[in-house]
Amino acid sequence: MQRVKQAQQGDEAAFLSLLNKEQDKLYRMIFAYVQNESDAIEVYQQVIIVAFEKIVQLKEPLYFSTWLMRIAINQSITYVKKRDRERAVSPESLHLIEADYRPIEEQLDLWQALQFLPNHYKTALLLRFYHDYTVPQIAEVIELPIGTVKTHIRRGLKMLRQHLKGVYNDEWAKSAEKDDE
Amino acid sequence: MSGQNPLKKMMNNIPVPQQKLKEVLRVEGLTKVFDKSSQPIQALRQVDLTLYEGEMVAIMGTSGSGKSTLLHMLSAIDAPTSGKMFVFGEQRDVHLEPQATIFRRNHIGFVFQSFELLEDLNVMDNIAMPLILKGLTNKEIEILVKEALDQVGMKKWRTHLPTELSGGQQQRVAIARALIAKPSILLADEPTGALDFNTTNDILHLLVQLNKELQQTMVIVTHDAYVATFADRVLFFHDGQIVDVYTNKKDESDLEEILEKFKYIARGEQ
């Protein structure tokens, strides 16, 4: 908590040390939206810059992690929207786009199914099942009511299941859906 | 629901690009010969060593292995007979005064086995010492000392004298003092040598915590294998050279492995 206060006073080292614990998870979260390494690195760096600039506005140092997560999600989604717009406009740049990430065989279906989800379902599921956030924590990050969060999780799992269509990961999606009711 | 669900497993498999390690201090061909007696003693023989930002390194060796001499070289307390030293990648000749004192003041924080606190000053003032020497304002010093007290958990004792503190508490103060000027490297010479087992544990956990939170590079010289298990990697010294290296896996096998390697060099077979 002291480090947050120090960071708010402009102490870069304190700010960077705060990121230490969160780094990998943040990067992977961003990756789930942008889907390739160079974009993920770029967005990650943007997130750091934005976060350092805005940290003075953080009223409750306790909420640093969730606050940071919100920035990462928003930056990622904005970045992808802009990128996809630009991609549509300039087909010449298609060959410059990095090959899509290929996870290992067993996880390919889940990865692709995840990419099919609209952002609000995807975000809810990642926060719930990757970051182990509680529903209230998720509500805080995405700034929506708890009921809405629950709906997003439920519908997200359902959609995931539909895309997985009987592949083994389907089992988990089924049981997770039941647990969360 | 915790544990590894398929989504988490998949996400954890996403490779994270490795950051290039930043070099803090490097020595090449470091040699020290003590020429006083009739028989010159080779305390250090062509030692090559690199310390990276944020790592905790343990240096183990029997007495006479050269580990204390190495510490003196790294902290510019004494000058090598030959060899090069690089500070943040730049070759520097830091062993002649006044560069040596400036180097120590700017880059090195010390923690000793015997704490070495100033008996006439209270906790706060002991911690403030390095900053007073650096000429900071009272206001700046006050803020930094407050933070340091919190970091080592000695806020309640800030007006006490060292004689009123236990060994562990004194060492906490010493650690706060060593870190307050944000040195490039913290050098600790048998930091838990004078402490009982429980206190040793507390101090080591504190050092690890500070190492991680502040990305503070640390070198701990020790003859205690248990202490070495807390480090990221362990360098084994014998007869003036680094003869073995071990990277801690951070599981139960570390202690045994380190003991094995230490016994091997202690027997003088390397």
Side-chain angles (χ1 to χ4, degrees), chain B residues 6-23:
Chain B
L7 184 70
K8 197 187 282 190
K9 224 169 155 183
M10 176 188 77
M11 288 297 289
N12 280 333
N13 275 332
I14 296 173
V16 177
Q18 283 309 313
Q19 279 174 322
K20 198 159 168 242
L21 290 171
K22 187 174 167 194
E23 184 186 296

Side-chain angles (χ1 to χ4, degrees), chain B residues 153-189:
Chain B
M154 287 298 288
K155 191 165 160 196
K156 272 195 283 187
W157 302 81
R158 63 189 182 281
T159 54
H160 283 76
L161 292 172
T163 44
E164 296 165 345
L165 306 176
S166 68
Q169 289 173 321
Q170 288 186 62
Q171 199 60 301
R172 282 173 185 268
V173 175
I175 290 170
R177 178 184 62 181
L179 292 178
I180 195 150
K182 304 206 198 321
S184 308
I185 301 182
L186 175 76
L187 292 178
D189 197 347

Side-chain angles (χ1 to χ4, degrees), chain B residues 4 18 27 29 31 33 35 40 59 77 129 144 149 163 167 170 189 205 210 220 228 232 249 256 269:
Chain B
Q4 289 269 331
Q18 283 309 313
V27 295
T31 302
V33 182
D35 235 339
I59 296 184
I77 281 176
M129 255 302 139
L144 290 171
L149 283 165
T163 44
Q170 288 186 62
D189 197 347
H205 279 111
L210 293 170
I220 301 180
D232 295 318
K249 290 191 231 88
E256 222 178 283
E269 279 162 23

Side-chain angles (χ1 to χ4, degrees), chain A residues 121-138:
Chain A
Y121 292 169
K122 186 169 169 182
T123 302
L125 292 184
L126 284 171
L127 290 174
R128 177 74 188 82
F129 296 109
Y130 174 45
H131 295 285
D132 291 321
Y133 277 23
T134 61
V135 171
Q137 282 174 320
I138 298 175

Side-chain angles (χ1 to χ4, degrees), chain B:
Chain B
M1 192 168 96
S2 244
Q4 289 269 331
N5 59 67
L7 184 70
K8 197 187 282 190
K9 224 169 155 183
M10 176 188 77
M11 288 297 289
N12 280 333
N13 275 332
I14 296 173
V16 177
Q18 283 309 313
Q19 279 174 322
K20 198 159 168 242
L21 290 171
K22 187 174 167 194
E23 184 186 296
V24 176
L25 197 64
R26 175 161 51 102
V27 295
E28 278 178 11
L30 207 65
T31 302
K32 178 68 180 177
V33 182
F34 286 108
D35 235 339
K36 273 200 223 146
S37 59
S38 51
Q39 288 262 32
I41 300 169
Q42 287 244 315
L44 292 177
R45 302 166 194 270
Q46 298 284 326
V47 173
D48 295 329
L49 165 60
T50 307
L51 295 169
Y52 298 98
E53 188 168 67
E55 67 168 340
M56 191 189 261
V57 175
I59 296 184
M60 282 197 82
T62 52
S63 42
S65 60
K67 60 187 199 296
S68 294
T69 309
L70 177 66
L71 219 58
H72 295 162
M73 299 295 124
L74 293 178
S75 55
I77 281 176
D78 195 359
T81 310
S82 64
K84 297 186 190 160
M85 187 142 120
F86 299 80
V87 183
F88 291 107
E90 271 185 50
Q91 188 177 353
R92 299 260 289 266
D93 192 359
V94 300
H95 292 107
L96 302 167
E97 294 292 356
Q99 292 97 305
T101 301
I102 295 171
F103 172 75
R104 274 199 302 279
R105 195 172 290 168
N106 290 335
H107 292 286
I108 310 284
F110 280 106
V111 173
F112 304 95
Q113 175 171 323
S114 49
F115 326 131
E116 303 292 326
L117 298 177
L118 297 173
E119 303 283 298
D120 296 328
L121 299 182
N122 66 24
V123 166
M124 273 192 306
D125 292 335
N126 261 291
I127 295 175
M129 255 302 139
L131 299 181
I132 294 172
L133 291 172
K134 279 191 135 183
L136 269 67
T137 67
N138 284 340
K139 190 69 189 159
E140 288 168 333
I141 294 178
E142 195 185 317
I143 294 172
L144 290 171
V145 168
K146 211 166 158 203
E147 178 202 333
L149 283 165
D150 281 331
Q151 275 172 350
V152 300
M154 287 298 288
K155 191 165 160 196
K156 272 195 283 187
W157 302 81
R158 63 189 182 281
T159 54
H160 283 76
L161 292 172
T163 44
E164 296 165 345
L165 306 176
S166 68
Q169 289 173 321
Q170 288 186 62
Q171 199 60 301
R172 282 173 185 268
V173 175
I175 290 170
R177 178 184 62 181
L179 292 178
I180 195 150
K182 304 206 198 321
S184 308
I185 301 182
L186 175 76
L187 292 178
D189 197 347
E190 306 279 6
T192 56
L195 308 172
D196 63 41
F197 182 71
N198 284 328
T199 316
T200 292
N201 250 320
D202 287 340
I203 294 297
L204 290 172
H205 279 111
L206 174 63
L207 286 172
V208 170
Q209 184 190 319
L210 293 170
N211 163 252
K212 296 275 168 275
E213 279 180 10
L214 307 171
Q215 276 296 288
Q216 175 68 53
T217 312
M218 291 185 181
V219 176
I220 301 180
V221 169
T222 184
H223 66 277
D224 187 339
Y226 178 68
V227 172
T229 61
F230 283 77
D232 295 318
R233 60 184 170 122
V234 185
L235 307 175
F236 295 88
F237 250 78
H238 181 69
D239 204 21
Q241 286 181 308
I242 298 175
V243 294
D244 205 352
V245 179
Y246 177 72
T247 303
N248 273 314
K249 290 191 231 88
K250 301 296 177 169
D251 64 33
E252 320 80 48
S253 65
D254 286 334
L255 183 58
E256 222 178 283
E257 297 261 10
I258 292 173
L259 273 168
E260 270 306 305
K261 289 177 184 283
F262 189 55
K263 275 191 223 161
Y264 194 61
I265 58 170
R267 258 182 259 138
E269 279 162 23
Q270 198 15 304

